[in-house]
Amino acid sequence: MENRNLNILHDFNVLYLEDDEDLLKHTSDVLEDFVNNIFAVKTSKEAMDILLHKKVDAIISDILLKDENGIDFLKHLKNKNINIPTILTTAHTDTNYLLDAIKLKVENYIIKPINIKELLNTLHDVLLPIVQKKEIQKNSNVIRMIAAITDSKQVAIVKYIINKLDNENLFTASYTDIMEEFSISKPTLIKLFKELAEKNILVKVQHKTYRFNQDALD
């Protein structure tokens, strides 16, 4: 199997639903070295609790759980309009299950015993479109942000702001930090931030921290 750039997994949170405690622990211990957060649970009730209170980017779920069915759990999510990329794991090759998975538009499935490299590569393939979409959106935001300000010479700083946004769209830096990166005067920099604030594009949330409001570009 072709090697992937697994570094992209570091920004994502994964929910792992598996009722085999040993397998759950073993696989989770491996995954936590590659992803941002791994939420390991044994029941769909625990899984739903995680989904309601945590940010989850991908789901790995066993098809047959103790007294439960992973397919039914995914149907429940779809009915609640919770659409998260999902990888199913199964020790069974029952075509009925796989047909149900296809109908639910499950991204992929893996036959047990789980091959860790296959799981990581599959996780990469499932999450790559999200990374690509973010990059396209990031470039679009740069262009739209430039259009929203009056001085095109400030393009480099706009790119800097966009590229430094975290997963919560927060940008943290002082004027001094930015001035050390770029040859720009403090009055010009303050003017830029004032313009972006007036247009509600950058909203100051605390000292040195701003939230990028993408909606303000629409």
Side-chain angles (χ1 to χ4, degrees):
M1 181 175 290
E2 177 188 351
N3 289 326
R4 273 75 159 177
N5 176 16
L6 299 179
N7 289 330
I8 71 167
L9 303 182
H10 292 318
D11 293 330
F12 293 100
N13 298 331
V14 175
L15 171 64
Y16 181 30
L17 175 56
E18 168 60 62
D19 61 358
D20 183 320
E21 194 163 348
D22 289 338
L23 178 58
L24 182 69
K25 184 179 187 311
H26 171 71
T27 307
S28 298
D29 286 347
V30 174
L31 288 175
E32 70 178 2
D33 290 334
F34 292 90
V35 302
N36 184 42
N37 286 302
I38 178 73
F39 304 114
V41 297
K42 294 194 292 183
T43 68
S44 61
K45 182 179 179 181
E46 292 173 295
M48 182 55 70
D49 186 60
I50 292 293
L51 289 169
L52 292 175
H53 297 96
K54 303 290 185 180
K55 181 178 181 294
V56 173
D57 301 294
I59 297 172
I60 302 170
S61 175
D62 190 16
I63 284 185
L64 290 183
L65 304 161
K66 184 178 180 182
D67 301 323
E68 294 186 272
N69 185 314
I71 296 289
D72 290 338
F73 172 61
L74 294 181
K75 286 179 180 177
H76 179 65
L77 295 186
K78 296 290 184 182
N79 289 336
K80 289 186 170 292
N81 290 318
I82 300 176
N83 298 302
I84 298 174
T86 302
I87 300 168
L88 288 175
T89 63
T90 178
H92 305 270
T93 55
D94 189 321
T95 54
N96 291 328
Y97 288 124
L98 300 182
L99 287 173
D100 284 340
I102 291 170
K103 290 176 184 177
L104 288 170
K105 297 182 180 179
V106 170
E107 278 65 21
N108 216 321
Y109 72 92
I110 293 176
I111 301 296
K112 292 180 176 179
I114 293 175
N115 178 295
I116 292 298
K117 183 176 180 181
E118 180 186 4
L119 178 59
L120 289 170
N121 284 339
T122 302
L123 198 55
H124 168 280
D125 293 347
V126 163
L127 293 171
L128 182 60
I130 299 176
V131 175
Q132 293 170 332
K133 184 177 179 180
K134 283 183 178 179
E135 283 302 312
I136 292 171
Q137 186 63 63
K138 185 186 292 185
N139 292 333
S140 173
N141 287 338
V142 170
I143 295 170
R144 294 160 71 196
M145 205 167 173
I146 291 168
I149 62 178
T150 57
D151 188 350
S152 60
K153 294 180 181 179
Q154 298 162 345
V155 170
I157 295 175
V158 169
K159 287 183 178 179
Y160 178 79
I161 292 171
I162 294 294
N163 287 326
K164 290 292 183 179
L165 293 175
D166 65 13
N167 288 334
E168 303 299 323
N169 270 348
L170 293 176
F171 168 74
T172 303
S174 66
Y175 288 147
T176 302
D177 293 332
I178 299 172
M179 290 164 62
E180 288 177 355
E181 286 281 336
F182 304 94
S183 178
I184 187 171
S185 67
K186 190 169 184 178
T188 302
L189 187 57
I190 291 174
K191 179 176 179 290
L192 169 62
F193 271 71
K194 183 179 178 182
E195 288 180 356
L196 294 173
E198 287 174 348
K199 296 178 187 296
N200 204 33
I201 295 171
L202 277 188
V203 180
K204 190 168 186 177
V205 294
Q206 62 185 43
H207 184 53
K208 299 182 183 180
T209 302
Y210 304 81
R211 184 178 301 280
F212 169 57
N213 178 22
Q214 182 176 307
D215 292 340
L217 297 177
D218 295 329

